[in-house]
Amino acid sequence: MKLFPSKSFKIDLSENSSLAMADLKQNTRLTSNIVSKWGVKEDFIGQVEKNGFKVISSIVGFGALCVLIGKFQNSSGQIEVRLHKAFKILFSILLSYPIIGFFIIWSTQGIGTAIDLLPILIFAFLATRFLFIELSFRVMSKIGMNKLTKTIGIKTRHNIG
């Protein structure tokens, strides 16, 4: 089990990668800081190069959750979708709460009470990981990939991990 979700896709473009990168560049607010901002009219924010890109969706607040990283050769390539580093830090703090809670209960009420509450703390950890983090990642990665598919013309997409 990975602590933080990620996805990789092998894709085929409907056109050459240089044309797809030109379309992506036209719909991207080019910046070295990959953070969402209010009032951005483009579909993406990030960096677009000749054979690759690193972008986030421009949806304020949740768009930065998933970073889309792609590399292309001719009309095929690979795209990786992963959590943004800032969200990894925030989710790490959130996931540490049940562990911190266990040690606080242990130090204040004793090991017996802490062990009695251990199943609840484990459930809280797993619920945070699989309900909160996984669900939000799946929704935002799907939105980002759908936008990217429309923008650069992805013909076929195969999940590789």
Side-chain angles (χ1 to χ4, degrees):
M1 174 183 94
K2 294 186 290 184
L3 190 58
F4 297 112
S6 65
K7 292 181 182 180
S8 293
F9 299 99
K10 187 166 180 64
I11 63 156
D12 293 318
L13 299 170
S14 59
E15 52 193 28
N16 196 333
S17 64
S18 60
L19 297 172
M21 290 297 101
D23 290 342
L24 183 60
K25 195 174 219 177
Q26 189 176 18
N27 291 306
T28 302
R29 181 176 177 272
L30 300 175
T31 179
S32 60
N33 297 332
I34 302 181
V35 293
S36 57
K37 293 184 179 181
W38 291 99
V40 174
K41 295 179 183 178
E42 293 88 357
D43 290 335
F44 299 100
I45 299 170
Q47 305 159 354
V48 179
E49 298 167 0
K50 185 177 180 182
N51 292 326
F53 61 87
K54 184 176 182 180
V55 296
I56 60 170
S57 177
S58 64
I59 300 171
V60 174
F62 298 104
L65 182 73
C66 296
V67 178
L68 305 166
I69 302 167
K71 299 206 183 301
F72 297 104
Q73 290 181 351
N74 298 326
S75 64
S76 65
Q78 187 171 349
I79 296 176
E80 182 183 0
V81 183
R82 59 180 154 180
L83 281 176
H84 194 284
K85 287 180 185 179
F87 282 95
K88 280 186 181 180
I89 293 168
L90 292 173
F91 287 144
S92 296
I93 293 168
L94 191 61
L95 287 171
S96 69
Y97 284 165
I99 299 165
I100 293 169
F102 175 79
F103 288 112
I104 290 173
I105 293 168
W106 181 8
S107 66
T108 59
Q109 298 179 3
I111 188 71
T113 307
I115 290 175
D116 290 342
L117 293 174
L118 191 60
I120 295 170
L121 296 173
I122 290 172
F123 177 75
F125 179 86
L126 293 175
T128 302
R129 165 57 178 94
F130 289 107
L131 291 179
F132 186 65
I133 297 173
E134 185 74 27
L135 188 62
S136 59
F137 176 78
R138 285 183 187 241
V139 168
M140 291 312 298
S141 66
K142 185 171 184 166
I143 290 170
M145 283 302 293
N146 287 341
K147 274 184 166 183
L148 191 63
T149 299
K150 290 176 186 174
T151 303
I152 65 174
I154 296 175
K155 186 169 52 173
T156 59
R157 175 171 74 188
H158 306 287
N159 194 355
I160 58 172

